[in-house]
């Protein structure tokens, strides 16, 4: 089997190299926008051929000096990515390509050929690579990379990405390995939540602390208030001032640091779960639907009025759910299980948090916050653990195993119908 992975490392370019990378990213974004204008001119989807678009890009790089800053291979990679975006749209996997603005789009430069990278490790902490029209750029060496040195595999390309804390390089690698044997580990059910990040049916929950330290949270709040004050003094329609832009950059750096900590926890946690368990059962959740803004609820005391605090309370819950990034966690767990011979099962999430895992009776009043108390059999426990046990039972039915006990589990019955 071919295993393809991306390895991100932080670049340490000089000021001149940073300026060159910024110019290349702006030129690559301009190529995308020109292709988009050409393809959607006059409101119609023209879809020029690859040959015509490639010839137009070559001619533009000759006639326009600032477009010649982007390497020819990177410009061709923009064309390939743009064509793939239309293919994904027509096949129903994504929305249509859109115009990329300078303020909101991500600055990227693609290096499609891995043999031109010339990656070389310098010492324990540093390495270098070759970037076309920029030169040799150093990057932090934080772990082995397939295809570099004695590591098996090969580099298939790279992409330079500008994050809030600086430029990074993402190496695309490919490793050929034998098909893994079936994982001998046990089955476990996982309930994803906010109070407990990952509640496991066997009790080995996975939790984490806040992604930001107290001092960082105080600084973030102070910067957000400063940005709000500066925005109120900002003239409508005028570009943001340098002070406001600098405040936004500081906020982005703090949030990017928290995101890196969250991603590191997700990788460590999913790796440990994939090594220990052979079958992992999770709920088939649609996070986009769960974090929608609630509909206005009529106020019973004032006819024609609506309750105003519902949206505010739901907004806080939505932020907590998005801060956990449960979709990314399941994505990491899926490919890591596949590489180790494990299996990921998705079961419907309906009634898993309202059903007693011991007797099978269901009542919404059983759950009060994080406490679960069944009035039928008297079982008392953590609500997330109870849901994880129900998810585990539903996964046993989907996987083809018998239910651990004959009980009226609604989640199990729904999975029997789905199976």
């Amino acid at each position: 089997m071919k295993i393809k992975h991306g390895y991100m490392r932080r670049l340490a370019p000089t000021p001149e190299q940073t300026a060159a990378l910024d110019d290349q990213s702006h030129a690559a974004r301009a190529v995308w926008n020109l292709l988009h204008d050409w393809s959607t001119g006059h409101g119609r989807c023209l879809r020029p051929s690859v040959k015509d678009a490639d010839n137009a890009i070559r001619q533009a790089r000759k006639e326009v000096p600032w477009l010649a800053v982007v390497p020819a291979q990177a410009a061709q990679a923009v064309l390939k990515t743009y064509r793939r975006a239309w293919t994904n749209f027509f096949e129903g996997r994504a929305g249509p390509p859109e115009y990329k603005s300078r303020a909101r789009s991500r600055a990227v430069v693609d290096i499609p050929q891995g043999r031109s990278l010339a990656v070389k490790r310098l010492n324990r902490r540093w390495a270098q690579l070759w970037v076309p029209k920029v030169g040799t750029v150093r990057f932090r060496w934080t772990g082995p990379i397939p295809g570099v040195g004695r590591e098996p595999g090969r580099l298939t390309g790279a992409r330079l990405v500008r994050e809030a804390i600086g430029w990074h390089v993402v190496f695309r690698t490919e490793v050929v390995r034998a098909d893994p044997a079936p994982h001998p580990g046990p089955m476990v059910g996982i309930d994803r939540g906010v109070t407990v990040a990952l509640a496991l049916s066997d009790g080995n929950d996975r939790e984490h602390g806040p992604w930001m330290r107290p001092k960082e949270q105080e600084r973030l709040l102070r910067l957000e208030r400063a940005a709000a004050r500066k925005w109120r003094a900002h003239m409508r329609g005028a570009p943001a001032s340098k002070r406001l832009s600098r405040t936004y950059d500081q906020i982005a750096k703090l949030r990017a640091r928290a995101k890196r900590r969250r991603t590191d926890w997700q990788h460590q946690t999913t790796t440990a779960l994939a090594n220990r368990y052979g079958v992992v059962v999770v709920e088939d959740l649609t996070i986009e639907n769960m974090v929608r803004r609630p509909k206005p609820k009529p106020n019973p005391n004032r006819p024609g009025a609506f309750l105003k605090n519902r949206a505010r309370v739901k907004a806080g819950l939505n932020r907590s759910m998005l801060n956990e990034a449960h979709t990314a966690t399941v994505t990491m767990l899926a490919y890591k299980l596949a590489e180790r011979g494990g299996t990921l099962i998705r079961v419907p999430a309906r009634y898993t948090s309202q059903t007693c895992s011991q007797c099978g009776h269901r009542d919404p009043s059983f759950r009060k916050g994080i406490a679960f108390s069944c009035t039928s059999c008297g079982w008392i426990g953590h609500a997330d653990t109870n849901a994880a046990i129900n998810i585990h039972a539903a996964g046993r039915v989907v996987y083809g195993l018998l239910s651990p006990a004959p009980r009226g589990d609604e989640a199990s019955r729904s999975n029997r119908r789905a199976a």
Side-chain angles (χ1 to χ4, degrees):
M1 61 181 300
K2 290 184 179 180
I3 300 178
K4 297 181 179 180
H5 278 311
Y7 293 81
M8 177 177 284
R9 299 293 183 264
R10 186 170 181 175
L11 293 176
T14 62
E16 294 79 10
Q17 292 175 340
T18 302
L21 291 175
D22 292 340
D23 294 340
Q24 287 191 15
S25 65
H26 294 323
R29 179 179 53 85
V31 172
W32 174 283
N33 292 334
L34 292 174
L35 288 171
H36 188 62
D37 292 340
W38 188 10
S39 300
T40 59
H42 305 287
R44 296 177 299 175
C45 184
L46 301 179
R47 295 292 304 277
S49 64
V50 177
K51 181 178 180 180
D52 294 341
D54 184 60
N55 293 334
I57 292 175
R58 293 174 184 269
Q59 187 66 23
R61 293 183 66 255
K62 293 179 181 179
E63 298 178 355
V64 183
W66 57 270
L67 276 181
V69 175
V70 60
Q73 296 179 357
Q76 293 174 356
V78 173
L79 172 60
K80 183 178 180 181
T81 304
Y82 184 76
R83 299 280 299 186
R84 188 187 303 115
W86 275 115
T87 302
N88 294 336
F89 167 66
F90 287 120
E91 294 180 358
R93 292 191 296 267
E98 297 180 353
Y99 177 85
K100 290 187 176 182
S101 65
R102 180 167 183 169
R104 298 182 180 274
S105 62
R106 198 180 191 185
V108 297
V109 179
D110 212 327
I111 306 177
Q113 296 183 358
R115 62 176 178 271
S116 60
L117 294 173
V119 181
K120 180 181 178 182
R121 186 174 180 180
L122 302 177
N123 50 45
R124 185 170 62 91
R125 294 185 178 181
W126 292 97
Q128 67 180 20
L129 77 155
W130 174 262
V131 179
K133 294 195 174 184
V134 176
T136 303
V137 184
R138 300 206 311 167
F139 66 91
R140 290 295 302 269
W141 184 269
T142 56
I145 302 174
V148 178
R150 298 181 180 179
E151 294 295 327
R154 67 186 186 94
L155 292 174
T156 60
R159 171 170 289 189
L160 308 177
V161 183
R162 185 178 62 189
E163 300 286 350
I165 55 179
W167 278 93
H168 292 70
V169 56
V170 182
F171 294 102
R172 294 189 292 266
T173 65
E174 181 180 287
V175 179
V176 179
R177 296 178 182 174
D179 293 339
H183 199 295
M187 176 187 291
V188 67
I190 298 179
D191 178 73
R192 294 169 287 170
V194 177
T195 305
V196 179
L198 299 177
L200 276 64
S201 58
D202 59 359
N204 297 320
D205 299 342
R206 299 296 192 274
E207 301 183 48
H208 59 78
W211 305 124
M212 287 189 181
R213 300 184 178 92
K215 292 294 184 180
E216 293 175 339
Q217 295 178 354
E218 295 176 2
R219 185 166 183 263
L220 177 62
L221 180 60
R222 186 168 61 251
L223 290 173
E224 289 177 342
R225 290 175 176 176
R229 291 194 302 268
K230 295 172 185 177
W231 177 255
R232 285 195 296 266
H234 169 264
M235 294 182 61
R236 181 175 297 180
S241 63
K242 293 184 178 179
R243 294 179 60 192
L244 180 58
S245 299
R246 184 166 55 251
T247 305
Y248 283 153
D249 292 341
Q250 293 172 349
I251 293 174
K253 289 181 180 179
L254 284 175
R255 291 178 176 173
R257 190 177 302 169
K259 180 181 178 181
R260 289 168 64 90
R261 293 169 182 164
R262 181 183 64 200
T263 305
D264 179 69
W265 179 86
Q266 288 174 328
H267 275 293
Q268 294 188 22
T269 303
T270 53
T271 300
L273 293 176
N275 290 334
R276 180 173 182 177
Y277 300 101
V279 181
V280 178
V281 189
V282 297
E283 295 173 299
D284 190 8
L285 300 177
T286 305
I287 304 298
E288 296 180 358
N289 297 339
M290 299 175 62
V291 297
R292 286 180 178 175
R293 184 183 181 91
K295 294 182 179 180
K297 185 177 182 180
N299 192 340
N301 300 325
R302 296 176 57 190
F306 297 92
L307 297 176
K308 297 182 179 180
N309 60 342
R310 294 185 72 248
R312 181 172 298 180
V313 174
K314 187 63 167 61
L317 179 61
N318 292 347
R319 284 193 297 268
S320 300
M321 294 182 63
L322 293 174
N323 194 33
E324 294 295 332
H326 289 311
T327 303
T329 303
V330 174
T331 302
M332 295 178 187
L333 188 58
Y335 79 79
K336 292 180 181 180
L337 282 170
E339 293 175 0
R340 293 162 174 80
T343 306
L344 179 72
I345 300 177
R346 301 174 186 267
V347 299
R350 193 177 183 181
Y351 304 133
T352 54
S353 62
Q354 301 176 4
T355 305
C356 178
S357 59
Q358 304 301 315
C359 65
H361 288 275
R362 172 168 58 88
D363 191 344
S365 62
F366 287 173
R367 177 169 184 172
K368 295 181 180 180
I370 62 174
F372 189 92
S373 177
C374 180
T375 58
S376 177
C377 66
W379 185 79
I380 299 176
H382 199 285
D384 294 338
T385 304
N386 175 77
I389 297 175
N390 290 330
I391 294 170
H392 176 266
R396 290 176 62 89
V397 177
V398 174
Y399 197 63
L401 301 176
L402 296 178
S403 181
R407 59 183 183 83
D409 187 3
E410 287 80 3
S412 298
R413 288 202 298 269
S414 63
N415 280 281
R416 288 192 189 97
R417 290 193 297 267

